[in-house]
Amino acid sequence: MRFGKTLRQSVYPPWKDQYIDYAKLKSILREDKPDDEDEPWTEEDENRFCDEIFNTQLEKVAKFQEAKIEELRNRTDEAAEKLKHMNEQQQSEEGGEGDAAQEEGDEGKHEEVAVDKQKLKEMEAELDGITNEVKELQKYSNLNYTGFLKIVKKHDRKRGDRYKIRPMMQVNLSNRPFNSEQAYSPLLNKLSYMYFAIRRFEAPDAGDVLPIDPDSQPETHNGEKYTAHKFWVHPDNLLEVKTYILRRLPALVYSEQSAKEVDGKQDPTITSLYFDNAKFQLYSKKVEREAEASSLRLRWYGQLSARPEILLEQKLLHENGTSEERKFAIKEKYVRAFLDGEYKMEKSVQKMERKGQKAEDVEEFKGTADAIQEFVRDNKLEPLVRANYVRTAFQNPGDDRVRISIDTDIAFIREDTLDRDRPCRDPKDWHRADIDNSNMTHPFKNINQSEVSRFPYAVLEIKLKEDVNNKRGRPGWIQDLMGSHLVHPCPRFSKFVQGVASLFEDYVNRLPFWLSDLNTDIRKDPQRAFQEEEERRARRAENEQVVGSFLGTKLSSYKPSRSSPAAKSYLADRMATDAAAAAASPKSGVTTSNQQQAVSTPAGDEAGESSQSQPLIPRENREINYGTLSSVLPGFSLSKYSRAKRAREAGITSLPPGVTEPKEWIKNSGPLQIEPKVWLANERTFLKWQHICVLLGGLAISLYTASASSKGGNLLGEVMGMVFLGVAAFTGGWSWWVLRRRREMIMGRSGKDFDFVLGPMVVAGALGVALVVNFGIAYQQAFEKHWGGDGGHHGNRSGVDMGDLR
């Protein structure tokens, strides 16, 4: 179906004038005219088209979307205020309920309950209206986003010889909240909490399970319920993310044969072969998030030539947002027969019966195989796209509460036979033999490059067991990773959807919301990412407080970080406003302004005592206390941090209860493994010092001997000889001490410096003094010999001595 027809059939009537005028843009582009009748495309035509699409159509759609989102936010806030007012009114009426019940009887009480239920039904109907408009706005954004990309693609194909505007359009779309999940998640999150409050009031005995986070996706595996969170990781941040996870969870590397045994060699390559029909019905349902949307794939580890186990998996998406997976193993030789309906897994059933498995398990296997085979037959499914990637898994052995996987080197390859003249795959086979028979791997350079799409990022998926979420026991390091600058959230990312959207853009009329993010740099500034995460958590806490204030319970335990910008701006302003309007009760879960300031000030800080009466001031606006000791000498600061640092350096740090000081550092544990060149370098340094010792000793003995054997003796020469002899002895002793000391440091894996500056300074100073004294004496004796009477005798003797010295 052409996109123009899809657009006309999908228009929401109240907004029909706000959609992209696709027909007008096609007429300006002269799309319907044949090439032989078409007039030359001039610069004036190009300016007219660009002005229409960028300045008229794009601005119209963008302004309407922004205005509609703001309107829905205001309606949601008004509904929240009504809900809060209903709670306050009910609490005021409950004060006199006992006396009124005695006077009017039970009939009056039932009448009052009916009034309350009627108000709740009206409130629920109002929320239904807002929710329906949010869904329509999402469809509106998706349709217009797809329309803009398709019309510029037509432009570049027909008029792209001189002008190409698709990159410019992608940049414009990425800078606007088009087709973005982040534009709707906060609104849907708040609506879900309000629905939760109404349901709790109608059924007080219901559990305390909070509504599903829109940024997550519930899944069911082997009867266990998980919540999946998906992110993109830029290649520059990939190593840091892996090392961050490895400090908490061990890596599981699966063998390519069974995908079950840890072999410790390398991460496995996984191939997923996704199915769909010529109308892309499975893709469309998944993009539009229709109820009971399903996907089907064949998955195996490693190369197909190694005959790995092949799994046929069907993933079902239920109406309540949860997903379920059906799967069974099948041999390669039976795949084609099973897809054609000629084989019904009889041999596998017989094998299970021979092994004596339970009749219930056998019937369940047969039911799963029959259901999948019927699903393939009814929807006329064929292999369509292949996803190939390398997976690194992280999980504690025997503990499946936290499961993490990172997929890298992701590539999507066409496996379709849509073009009967030039099919990508042999229609008689179920996979591409040119890839599997040659054991082709990433980046798949030996096939037609128009049939390959390489995904630029790694995909991080975090699965948390449901009981972890219900008990609010999500590990802190998981929360920090999910809110850090290292990852980019992409809640409902699907490899199947991404592969179809990137390889079959001309065949589909809906594109996923995350495509706009592929044209932007997903790397973030750490401080900015921290601020966004804190503000998101604060808004979530505010939504929980709406429910808590209505139910009279405290559902939120959120506390902003001490360095959090949210603690200084967002929550402070909001709670100060609430405190000024009315004093909140302690059980409502709302923190007052003064309490919030106390959270923002570290406990024990001297400034914390006066912070109760002072407003929060951003750090950059605070005055610096010049003239204090800490401003002149920062090393003598009296702050809590500085005192703790000095205590740690002095070795008087107090440990928490139950924690004992380790006797050995982790870096010192394990066998000592030192390369021979380290020992040889230490010994080579020792031999160099011994060489200097021998030279100084020889010099000292020669000087002393020459001075003692001269006529009349030379006291100064003998003294200098003894001094040099002492320096030589010091050099020998010093070199031995350094040898032993460095050996101990190497054995102890010391991280200290190996430089010892005292020895070289002593030797260099002694030699310098000797040269200065020798020069002074020689100069004095030469002066006396030339000008003095008996200077010749001294000069001759000195000359002998200096000659011997030299």
Side-chain angles (χ1 to χ4, degrees):
M1 184 186 297
R2 292 183 174 273
F3 177 75
K5 186 176 181 181
T6 302
L7 179 62
R8 289 192 298 271
Q9 293 179 353
S10 305
V11 165
Y12 184 51
W15 305 342
K16 61 180 180 179
D17 297 330
Q18 303 299 331
Y19 286 81
I20 178 177
D21 197 340
Y22 195 74
K24 182 178 181 180
L25 292 172
K26 285 182 64 177
S27 65
I28 296 176
L29 197 58
R30 299 200 290 267
E31 173 71 16
D32 297 332
K33 286 189 177 182
D35 294 338
D36 54 351
E37 299 179 5
D38 193 12
E39 300 176 0
W41 185 259
T42 63
E43 186 173 352
E44 183 180 353
D45 295 330
E46 183 67 24
N47 291 336
R48 181 187 173 197
F49 179 81
C50 291
D51 180 70
E52 179 66 27
I53 191 171
F54 286 106
N55 299 333
T56 304
Q57 300 297 329
L58 185 59
E59 287 298 322
K60 176 184 70 174
V61 174
K63 289 181 179 179
F64 176 78
Q65 186 192 32
E66 292 174 2
K68 204 64 185 176
I69 288 179
E70 187 64 26
E71 176 190 338
L72 292 173
R73 286 174 182 166
N74 294 335
R75 289 174 60 185
T76 304
D77 293 338
E78 291 175 2
E81 288 298 324
K82 290 181 180 178
L83 196 63
K84 188 176 181 181
H85 178 70
M86 288 172 57
N87 177 53
E88 294 174 353
Q89 184 178 6
Q90 180 197 1
Q91 290 180 352
S92 62
E93 291 174 356
E94 284 178 353
E97 183 179 342
D99 297 337
Q102 292 179 2
E103 294 177 1
E104 300 177 5
D106 295 337
E107 184 178 352
K109 292 171 64 176
H110 290 302
E111 193 173 316
E112 180 67 27
V113 172
V115 173
D116 291 340
K117 285 187 176 182
Q118 181 64 28
K119 291 181 179 179
L120 289 175
K121 287 182 179 180
E122 293 175 358
M123 177 62 65
E124 190 170 3
E126 186 173 351
L127 294 182
D128 289 340
I130 298 174
T131 304
N132 291 334
E133 285 209 10
V134 171
K135 292 180 180 179
E136 292 296 337
L137 188 59
Q138 284 182 316
K139 295 180 181 179
Y140 170 88
S141 300
N142 183 273
L143 272 174
N144 286 282
Y145 176 83
T146 305
F148 282 119
L149 289 182
K150 282 190 171 291
I151 197 65
V152 296
K153 186 175 182 178
K154 289 180 180 293
H155 170 277
D156 291 354
R157 183 186 300 163
K158 191 175 183 67
R159 312 296 181 186
D161 295 338
R162 297 175 58 189
Y163 311 98
K164 290 187 181 296
I165 63 174
R166 184 181 173 92
M168 189 190 312
M169 176 58 70
Q170 289 175 333
V171 172
N172 276 272
L173 292 176
S174 63
N175 292 334
R176 301 173 183 270
F178 265 102
N179 211 25
S180 174
E181 186 78 5
Q182 303 302 321
Y184 302 98
S185 290
L187 190 59
L188 292 174
N189 194 12
K190 192 165 188 175
L191 287 170
S192 65
Y193 276 99
M194 295 172 67
Y195 274 117
F196 173 75
I198 293 176
R199 288 193 299 268
R200 279 295 309 273
F201 186 81
E202 292 176 342
D205 298 333
D208 291 334
V209 180
L210 289 176
I212 298 173
D213 188 351
D215 294 337
S216 64
Q217 183 174 356
E219 295 183 357
T220 302
H221 299 279
N222 299 325
E224 300 286 349
K225 295 183 179 180
Y226 291 86
T227 303
H229 305 264
K230 296 181 180 180
F231 305 87
W232 292 348
V233 182
H234 194 278
D236 294 350
N237 299 330
L238 182 59
L239 182 60
E240 188 172 355
V241 171
K242 285 187 175 181
T243 53
Y244 180 86
I245 298 173
L246 279 171
R247 294 189 182 99
R248 282 88 180 175
L249 292 178
L252 299 180
V253 185
Y254 298 99
S255 66
E256 298 181 353
Q257 294 295 329
S258 64
K260 295 179 180 179
E261 299 178 359
V262 177
D263 59 8
K265 294 180 181 179
Q266 60 181 1
D267 296 329
T269 299
I270 301 178
T271 302
S272 295
L273 199 60
Y274 292 98
F275 289 70
D276 208 338
N277 52 35
K279 296 182 180 180
F280 294 88
Q281 291 178 337
L282 300 188
Y283 167 84
S284 300
K285 290 181 179 180
K286 201 168 183 66
V287 172
E288 296 172 8
R289 301 182 189 176
E290 293 185 7
E292 304 303 327
S294 300
S295 61
L296 184 69
R297 69 177 178 179
L298 286 165
R299 179 169 60 91
W300 65 87
Y301 288 75
Q303 297 294 339
L304 192 61
S305 59
R307 299 186 180 279
E309 181 183 54
I310 301 176
L311 295 175
L312 183 58
E313 302 174 338
Q314 181 188 10
K315 193 171 186 179
L316 301 171
L317 182 63
H318 298 300
E319 189 173 359
N320 58 359
T322 61
S323 64
E324 181 184 357
E325 194 173 61
R326 301 172 181 171
K327 61 181 179 180
F328 62 89
I330 184 173
K331 292 185 178 180
E332 178 186 354
K333 59 183 179 180
Y334 297 132
V335 173
R336 183 74 264 179
F338 179 83
L339 296 177
D340 294 339
E342 300 172 357
Y343 175 68
K344 297 184 178 297
M345 304 301 296
E346 295 90 347
K347 293 188 177 182
S348 298
V349 173
Q350 294 172 3
K351 186 177 180 180
M352 294 176 66
E353 292 175 348
R354 286 197 305 269
K355 288 184 177 180
Q357 295 191 16
K358 297 180 180 179
E360 295 82 359
D361 296 339
V362 176
E363 289 299 324
E364 182 181 357
F365 177 83
K366 291 173 61 177
T368 300
D370 293 341
I372 293 179
Q373 194 171 54
E374 184 181 358
F375 179 70
V376 172
R377 182 180 62 253
D378 293 345
N379 293 278
K380 300 179 181 180
L381 302 180
E382 286 289 337
L384 189 74
V385 63
R386 171 189 299 227
N388 186 274
Y389 48 94
V390 177
R391 169 161 293 182
T392 305
F394 304 88
Q395 181 182 334
N396 278 323
D399 185 359
D400 60 351
R401 290 177 297 175
V402 179
R403 299 164 57 187
I404 299 178
S405 64
I406 299 179
D407 296 337
T408 55
D409 295 339
I410 303 175
F412 302 101
I413 306 172
R414 290 183 61 165
E415 293 263 350
D416 63 283
T417 58
L418 298 177
D419 188 350
R420 296 299 178 181
D421 298 329
R422 300 178 59 185
C424 299
R425 167 182 53 83
D426 184 358
K428 297 180 181 180
D429 206 348
W430 62 272
H431 66 100
R432 290 186 62 160
D434 58 335
I435 296 177
D436 296 322
N437 292 347
S438 60
N439 294 334
M440 199 180 302
T441 58
H442 190 274
F444 301 96
K445 294 184 177 180
N446 297 332
I447 60 175
N448 189 345
Q449 293 303 294
S450 63
E451 300 173 357
V452 183
S453 174
R454 299 173 185 87
F455 193 68
Y457 307 124
V459 176
L460 168 69
E461 184 173 9
I462 301 175
K463 291 185 178 180
L464 304 174
K465 210 168 185 178
E466 192 175 75
D467 59 346
V468 177
N469 293 283
N470 288 349
K471 297 177 183 178
R472 300 187 179 274
R474 179 182 297 176
W477 65 273
I478 291 285
Q479 188 70 31
D480 293 340
L481 176 62
M482 292 168 58
S484 71
H485 67 286
L486 300 174
V487 298
H488 176 78
C490 192
R492 299 184 182 275
F493 177 78
S494 166
K495 295 186 182 70
F496 167 55
V497 173
Q498 173 62 30
V500 173
S502 59
L503 294 173
F504 300 92
E505 184 177 347
D506 293 337
Y507 292 86
V508 296
N509 294 326
R510 294 290 178 93
L511 298 176
F513 65 86
W514 60 75
L515 281 187
S516 59
D517 293 337
L518 290 176
N519 304 308
T520 61
D521 188 355
I522 64 172
R523 290 172 293 186
K524 307 173 187 176
D525 176 69
Q527 180 64 20
R528 181 180 177 183
F530 177 79
Q531 294 177 359
E532 293 175 353
E533 174 63 15
E534 285 296 315
E535 291 177 2
R536 188 190 69 83
R537 292 177 58 199
R539 291 190 185 97
R540 182 178 176 87
E542 183 180 14
N543 295 336
E544 293 177 356
Q545 288 171 1
V546 172
V547 182
S549 62
F550 183 69
L551 301 176
T553 58
K554 182 178 179 181
L555 299 178
S556 175
S557 59
Y558 167 72
K559 291 183 179 180
S561 303
R562 291 179 177 178
S563 59
S564 165
K568 297 181 293 185
S569 56
Y570 181 82
L571 278 183
D573 296 342
R574 179 178 60 79
M575 292 184 173
T577 304
D578 291 346
S585 60
K587 70 174 184 177
S588 65
V590 181
T591 312
T592 63
S593 173
N594 292 338
Q595 290 172 337
Q596 181 61 36
Q597 294 172 5
V599 171
S600 302
T601 305
D605 198 336
E606 295 174 357
E609 298 175 0
S610 60
S611 65
Q612 302 293 329
S613 59
Q614 297 178 357
L616 287 172
I617 303 175
R619 184 176 298 275
E620 59 270 15
N621 296 334
R622 295 175 184 170
E623 295 183 358
I624 302 176
N625 294 325
Y626 293 103
T628 61
L629 180 62
S630 60
S631 64
V632 180
L633 298 174
F636 291 93
S637 173
L638 299 179
S639 67
K640 178 184 177 183
Y641 172 78
S642 299
R643 292 197 303 268
K645 182 179 180 182
R646 287 195 293 270
R648 288 196 302 269
E649 293 174 351
I652 57 176
T653 305
S654 59
L655 298 175
V659 179
T660 58
E661 184 176 0
K663 298 180 180 179
E664 185 180 20
W665 292 96
I666 296 178
K667 68 182 182 66
N668 295 339
S669 59
L672 182 66
Q673 297 179 353
I674 301 174
E675 296 183 6
K677 64 181 182 181
V678 178
W679 302 110
L680 295 177
N682 191 26
E683 294 178 0
R684 187 165 56 249
T685 306
F686 171 71
L687 294 177
K688 287 289 185 181
W689 276 103
Q690 291 298 311
H691 180 64
I692 296 175
C693 175
V694 171
L695 288 178
L696 289 177
L699 176 64
I701 294 174
S702 299
L703 180 60
Y704 182 82
T705 303
S707 299
S709 61
S710 61
K711 296 180 180 180
N714 186 351
L715 181 61
L716 182 59
E718 294 176 2
V719 172
M720 291 298 296
M722 295 297 293
V723 171
F724 275 110
L725 187 62
V727 173
F730 169 79
T731 304
W734 171 262
S735 63
W736 174 253
W737 181 84
V738 169
L739 173 69
R740 302 300 301 176
R741 177 59 180 162
R742 285 179 175 165
R743 185 178 183 278
E744 292 175 359
M745 293 175 67
I746 294 172
M747 295 287 290
R749 300 182 175 95
S750 175
K752 297 181 180 180
D753 242 345
F754 280 76
D755 296 336
F756 299 98
V757 297
L758 178 61
M761 292 178 62
V762 171
V763 174
L767 291 176
V769 170
L771 290 174
V772 171
V773 172
N774 187 18
F775 175 78
I777 294 175
Y779 179 81
Q780 180 183 3
Q781 292 181 354
F783 181 81
E784 291 176 355
K785 179 180 180 181
H786 183 72
W787 298 100
D790 57 347
H793 175 69
H794 296 288
N796 184 32
R797 185 175 63 184
S798 177
V800 172
D801 293 343
M802 291 298 104
D804 295 338
L805 177 61
R806 290 191 294 271

